Structure formats: C-alpha cells, structure tokens
Amino acid sequence: MSSQRLTASVSNYGGLGSFGAHGLKPEAIRNVIREIKALTTKPFAMNLWVSMEDEGAVASTEEAFHRSLSPLAKHIESVGGATPSYHPYEPIRFEDQVQVLLDEGISVFSFIYGIPSKQILDEFRHQGIVLIGTATTVDEAIALEQAGVDVIAASGFEAGGHRGSFLQPSEDSLTGTMALVPQVVDAVRLPVVAAGGIGDARGIVAAFALGAEGVQMGTAFLACEESGANTLHRKALLSGQARQTALTRGFTGRLARGIKNRLLDELNQNNIEILPYPLQRALVRHLSIPAEKAGRPELLPLWSGQSANLARCTHVRALLDTLVKEISEIGGAVQSWSAHRQLEEAQE
C-alpha cells in the first residue's frame, strides 16, 4: 500500500518515509525512486523482500492453480471479473531489484524475509546507504547484527501485512511488540525501531520506554488519503470495521494480518488449498481488482494491524502534527507526575 506521495510526505515532515517495492520489476522500481525524488529532497527508504518466492513456486502445476482458483471463482464472477487462465511462474530476481537501488543512490535500504548476501550488503555500505533489517524474533535480530546492518526493526505480531520471519516459520515467530522490543534491545548493541500495533502517541512513548530509538507505523498512515490504499480500505480503517483482524496465508501464500472479513474467513478454512507465494498473491488479484471496482470490501484483502481502530487522521500532516503534540503532552504529564512523586518522597 505504499505510494510515492505518502513516502515523500512523511520524509518532508521530518520522518523517514518508506516505499515497499517488493512486487515491482526493476524498471518500475527505478521510476518510483525518481518520482519520490521529484517530491522530496529528504532521505527515504526503499523496502525489498530478500526471499522472493516460496519453495514450490517454480514447480507449481496448472492443476494446483485450478484447485486454488475454485473457492475464488464464484466471487470473481459475482463482481464481473474475468476468470484467469494458468500461466507459468515468471520470477522477479531480488538481485536485479537491488541493483536499481544501488544505481539510483537511495539513502536507506530496508528489507524483510531474510538477510542479503555479504556482497550485496558490502555494496550498500560502500555507498554509505543505511541498512535496516527486520526481525520478528530475538534470534533474527542477533543474526542481523552479526551481518552488519545499521538498524534493526523489531516487528511484533500485532503489525498489519506480512510477517517477515526468516529463521523459523512465521507461525512459530509470533512474539508481541511489548515482549519483543525490550528483549531485542537487550540482545543487540544496534539502534532498535519498534514496529507492530503502534497507532498513536501512547504507543510511541511506550516503545521508547521499552528501549526503542524509533518507531515504525503503517496502518495509521494507510488511513490517510496520501496512501496507496483504496477508498474502501481507508473507509474500513476509519469506520470501526477493523476492530477484528486475523492472520492468514490465503491472500498471498505468506502469513499476513488483515481485517477479518468474508474472504479471509473463507480462505482460512482447512480444506482450502493455497498456492505458494507469490502465486497466491497473483491469483487473488484477479478477484481484488474487480471487487474494488464493484465496491465489495468483504471480498478484498484489507491489510491492517491490531491498532487500526486508533486511526483518526485522513492526511499525513494532520497525523504527524497530532503525534508530535500528544507526545509532548504525555511527556509533560510524566514530568509533572515525577516532580509530584519527588515532592511526596521529600515530605515523608
């Protein structure tokens, strides 16, 4: 749900905007970077997935395609979509995506689902590009530190979207942000960014109290008009429909969190066959594109973290202004409480 406008708006304000480019071909990534640079002169991050496909994606058969299409076919027909035909998988190479980032001279490279090779990391370091690796467990954070990244994003299971686990299966790496962040802070000597379930100033202050030196927020920005989320998605985030979220492999083939709706529930049934990533993602798009046009949010993958109901702002500047103001207010309240306690102790 990244957009060039959202990325630039966050960076222009003083944050670090980030664009998720994992599904784009190299030339498309090049165009995105240049478009963002036309909107901001500030640093921004480009995010890629180190692991581009699941085991079995290349060998997946036409028969498997039709078995996975079966539960979606009636919905595709109901929204006026065309029944997709089978096409052999054509992979996008991570190394080719990486080369574009190096060629275009970005400021920050962030990544999930693994650790790039030493050669790739060395090339980014040689250009002075900051490296941010994502960890969903303490062991992953330690592995990232040993690989020589600059910053670790500790991603709790409350986060919306995909679980970027790489040492153990995602289902075995579901540690919450409040538990994960202080353990990662204690285990590594690098700056830690807290991610997952942070939706307002209270979450930011809590993350800093846990030892984080920064926070990563996604769902709160999805509700903003500058994001790449469609109108139905943004409405769901702002209207209370995101009260229940759930994890599923049904939308893309990899474990991810979205708003609990009809499509998610159906694809989570035990008898449903899910294609490997990214084949399932491509298959579901044949439903999501016409479903969006038909105004059917119950048939859309609606990415969302568990803090979605905290979303209130519809513009990036308003959201960031609110966060800055409320953090200051919380800080003032904490100082006042601390001074009051000191006075009480002095009187005892």
Side-chain angles (χ1 to χ4, degrees):
M1 297 301 171
S2 300
S3 79
Q4 294 88 321
R5 186 181 170 201
L6 173 61
T7 302
S9 296
V10 172
S11 289
N12 282 331
Y13 191 93
L16 179 67
S18 181
F19 190 99
H22 68 276
L24 300 181
K25 294 181 179 180
E27 278 309 303
I29 295 175
R30 190 184 309 278
N31 292 335
V32 164
I33 293 172
R34 293 180 179 181
E35 288 166 8
I36 296 172
K37 285 185 175 181
L39 296 172
T40 184
T41 58
K42 302 291 184 63
F44 61 89
M46 294 296 293
N47 180 271
L48 295 178
W49 292 13
V50 180
S51 169
M52 295 289 293
E53 62 195 29
D54 286 345
E55 184 178 353
V58 174
S60 186
T61 65
E62 184 172 359
E63 290 74 19
F65 170 83
H66 286 292
R67 288 195 298 271
S68 296
L69 171 62
S70 178
L72 300 173
K74 63 180 183 296
H75 295 315
I76 294 174
E77 182 180 357
S78 74
V79 295
T83 302
S85 301
Y86 170 77
H87 296 284
Y89 171 51
E90 297 181 5
I92 300 174
R93 294 182 71 247
F94 171 70
E95 292 78 9
D96 294 338
Q97 292 179 318
V98 159
Q99 190 59 52
V100 173
L101 304 191
L102 291 164
D103 291 344
E104 294 298 315
I106 62 169
S107 301
V108 181
F109 171 37
S110 69
F111 49 87
I112 68 172
Y113 282 117
I115 304 175
S117 68
K118 182 180 183 302
Q119 178 184 354
I120 288 175
L121 293 179
D122 284 345
E123 290 178 10
F124 279 96
R125 280 189 283 261
H126 179 71
Q127 290 194 19
I129 298 171
V130 175
L131 297 166
I132 303 178
T134 301
T136 64
T137 66
V138 173
D139 287 342
E140 289 178 351
I142 293 171
L144 286 164
E145 181 178 48
Q146 291 172 346
V149 305
D150 300 298
V151 179
I152 292 173
S155 178
F157 87 120
E158 302 96 327
H162 290 85
R163 306 299 306 135
S165 307
F166 60 92
L167 290 183
Q168 298 292 332
S170 296
E171 286 86 352
D172 297 331
S173 307
L174 299 179
T175 305
T177 304
M178 291 288 288
L180 179 64
V181 170
Q183 292 184 70
V184 171
V185 168
D186 289 349
V188 302
R189 290 168 292 181
L190 298 175
V192 175
V193 171
I198 301 172
D200 63 8
R202 293 170 296 181
I204 294 172
V205 172
F208 283 116
L210 296 173
E213 296 187 37
V215 299
Q216 179 175 298
M217 300 173 68
T219 302
F221 286 97
L222 276 185
C224 296
E225 291 184 7
E226 295 92 338
S227 80
N230 61 63
T231 302
L232 296 174
H233 195 165
R234 288 190 286 108
K235 181 179 179 181
L237 293 171
L238 291 164
S239 65
Q241 297 176 40
R243 187 172 291 107
Q244 281 191 296
T245 65
L247 293 165
T248 184
R249 287 185 176 269
F251 291 160
T252 68
R254 287 187 174 176
L255 196 68
R257 183 176 298 281
I259 296 174
K260 188 174 169 62
N261 62 4
R262 178 180 178 181
L263 181 63
L264 188 149
D265 286 340
E266 290 184 4
L267 293 178
N268 269 0
Q269 294 177 17
N270 291 331
N271 61 334
I272 299 298
E273 184 169 330
I274 303 300
L275 292 172
Y277 181 90
L279 306 185
Q280 182 73 13
R281 176 175 179 265
L283 178 61
V284 171
R285 281 182 61 82
H286 288 285
L287 169 60
S288 58
I289 293 173
E292 178 188 341
K293 293 179 181 178
R296 299 282 298 279
E298 74 276 12
L299 297 178
L300 289 173
L302 300 173
W303 306 120
S304 171
Q306 289 185 328
S307 63
N309 269 7
L310 298 175
R312 298 288 183 270
C313 298
T314 57
H315 293 281
V316 169
R317 177 163 287 277
L319 172 57
L320 290 169
D321 281 343
T322 299
L323 293 174
V324 170
K325 175 177 178 291
E326 292 181 351
I327 289 170
S328 178
E329 290 173 350
I330 294 171
V334 170
Q335 289 178 355
S336 176
W337 177 85
S338 177
H340 178 70
R341 286 295 301 145
Q342 288 175 3
L343 178 61
E344 285 184 337
E345 291 171 358
Q347 292 173 340
E348 290 176 355

